[in-house]
């Protein structure tokens, strides 16, 4: 008897990403030390998100042709600039309204400019690449090599006006691009290697998703309550509208824009780093950490659903246009 596991998972929007991610998150929430308990290969699977992502980069890079490099720069640059710009605008507005301190009471009690900017500034690269691997083109996946500049607290500090407290880690940027570049080199030198490595891309998605989920504590959603969920929804909508527009202006369908409208897991560490650099944000840091962690979970759930919906909507529109064109050509 055959169980249609794969087919069932694929019925969920972005299922190959979402189902393993939630499986990992549920296990981590119920049994945080599961990976350490089993150790060995099982423990490595719980903590190996970066390693799997590095392999994913090499394999995905092998599918990219050199002539697609201008597209990567254009697409990645547009998405990066758009997301940072909208975070800066929102940060400037909230900074003038609230300053460095969090809102003290009311429905927005605990929310701060620090929390909002940290949640908006950093894209979930693994989720973006997984969604683009499923709904986009290989060259769109490569755009994250430019967007990876968002990682870390630097842009959040700049956005909040704390310039000069940290330096841009160029080594991290090179490290993010290198696996992709190696894959591109191998794939362009040998087309057989391109085919060989390219076949591994969809296989790696659920494994990376599980490792990513194994670092998420779902209880953070409960602690942050509706405010954290609202922050995640705001990040998806506010950055999504701008990113979809930027994607379409650079020749895309908008799918890559929605896939990038997320909060990265490492963004949850940014408030504490910012507070350490500038004590003015010390009071906001604790609640900001929980809120940003919640935004990570919420956007990880909603972005694949929104991306899948947008992709299917676009595909249906193209099919309808093609049918209309054929009917117009048939003589009456």
């Amino acid at each position: 008897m055959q169980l249609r596991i794969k087919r069932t998972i694929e019925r969920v929007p972005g299922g190959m990403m979402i189902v393993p991610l939630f499986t990992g998150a549920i296990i981590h929430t119920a049994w945080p030390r599961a990976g350490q308990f089993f150790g060995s290969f099982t423990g490595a699977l719980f903590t190996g998100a970066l390693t799997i992502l590095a392999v994913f980069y090499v394999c995905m890079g092998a599918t990219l042709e050199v002539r697609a490099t201008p597209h990567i720069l254009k697409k990645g640059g547009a998405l990066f600039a758009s997301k940072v710009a909208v975070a800066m605008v929102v940060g400037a507005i909230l900074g003038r309204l609230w300053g460095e301190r969090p809102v003290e009471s009311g429905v927005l009690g605990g929310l701060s400019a620090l929390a909002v900017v940290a949640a908006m500034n950093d894209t979930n690269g693994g989720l973006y690449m997984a969604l683009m691997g499923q709904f986009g083109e290989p060259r769109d996946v490569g755009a994250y090599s430019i967007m990876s500049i968002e990682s870390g607290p630097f842009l959040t500090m700049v956005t909040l006006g704390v310039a000069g407290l940290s330096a841009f880690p160029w080594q991290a940027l090179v490290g993010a691009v290198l696996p992709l570049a190696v894959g591109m080199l191998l794939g362009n030198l040998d087309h057989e290697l391109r085919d060989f490595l390219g076949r591994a891309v969809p296989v790696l998605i659920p494994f990376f998703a599980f490792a990513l989920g194994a670092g998420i504590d779902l209880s953070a959603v409960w602690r942050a309550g509706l405010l954290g969920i609202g922050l995640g929804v705001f990040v998806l909508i506010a950055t999504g509208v701008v990113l979809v527009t930027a994607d379409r202006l650079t020749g895309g369908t908008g799918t890559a824009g929605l896939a990038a409208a997320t909060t990265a897991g490492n963004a949850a560490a940014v408030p504490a780093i910012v507070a350490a650099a500038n004590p003015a944000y010390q009071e906001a840091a604790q609640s900001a950490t929980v809120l940003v962690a919640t935004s990570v979970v919420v956007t990880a759930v909603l972005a694949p659903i929104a991306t899948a919906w947008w992709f299917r909507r676009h595909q249906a529109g193209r099919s309808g246009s093609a049918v209309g064109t054929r009917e117009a050509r048939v003589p009456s």
Side-chain angles (χ1 to χ4, degrees), residues 83-172:
K83 192 163 192 187
V84 172
V86 69
M88 284 187 172
V89 171
V90 172
I93 294 172
L94 296 183
R96 288 184 177 275
L97 292 174
W98 300 336
E100 297 91 351
R101 299 164 62 89
V103 178
E104 294 183 359
S105 59
V107 178
L108 300 180
L111 189 63
S112 61
L114 173 61
V116 177
V117 171
M120 295 180 76
N121 251 342
D122 203 348
T123 299
N124 189 328
L127 184 58
Y128 171 82
M129 289 186 291
L131 291 173
M132 284 296 92
Q134 185 171 357
F135 300 114
E137 300 178 17
R139 60 183 188 171
D140 289 334
V141 176
Y144 184 70
S145 60
I146 307 299
M147 297 161 62
S148 64
I149 298 172
E150 299 168 356
S151 299
F154 178 72
L155 286 174
T156 298
M157 290 181 177
V158 171
T159 304
L160 294 169
V162 196
L165 292 180
S166 65
F168 185 78
W170 65 268
Q171 298 94 332

Side-chain angles (χ1 to χ4, degrees), residues 18 27 54 63 102 104 177 186 192-193 199 211 218 241 246 292 304 329:
I18 282 296
I27 293 174
T63 66
E104 294 183 359
V177 176
L186 293 174
E192 289 185 1
L193 261 180
R199 286 194 292 269
L218 291 177
V241 170
V292 174
R329 290 175 179 172

Side-chain angles (χ1 to χ4, degrees), residues 58-68 138 182-201:
V58 174
C59 295
M60 182 56 71
T63 66
L64 304 176
E65 298 182 19
V66 171
R67 64 172 180 265
V182 170
M184 287 183 67
L185 179 65
L186 293 174
N188 282 274
L189 289 176
D190 186 347
H191 288 183
E192 289 185 1
L193 261 180
R194 174 183 295 169
D195 296 337
F196 173 72
L197 293 172
R199 286 194 292 269
V201 171

Side-chain angles (χ1 to χ4, degrees), residues 199-245:
R199 286 194 292 269
V201 171
V203 176
L204 288 170
I205 291 174
F207 292 99
F208 173 78
F210 177 84
L212 180 68
I216 294 176
D217 186 354
L218 291 177
S219 63
V221 177
W222 177 260
R223 292 198 303 271
L226 292 177
L227 185 59
I229 295 172
L231 176 60
V233 173
F234 174 76
V235 169
L236 179 70
I237 295 174
T239 62
V241 170
V242 176
L243 290 171
V244 166
T245 303

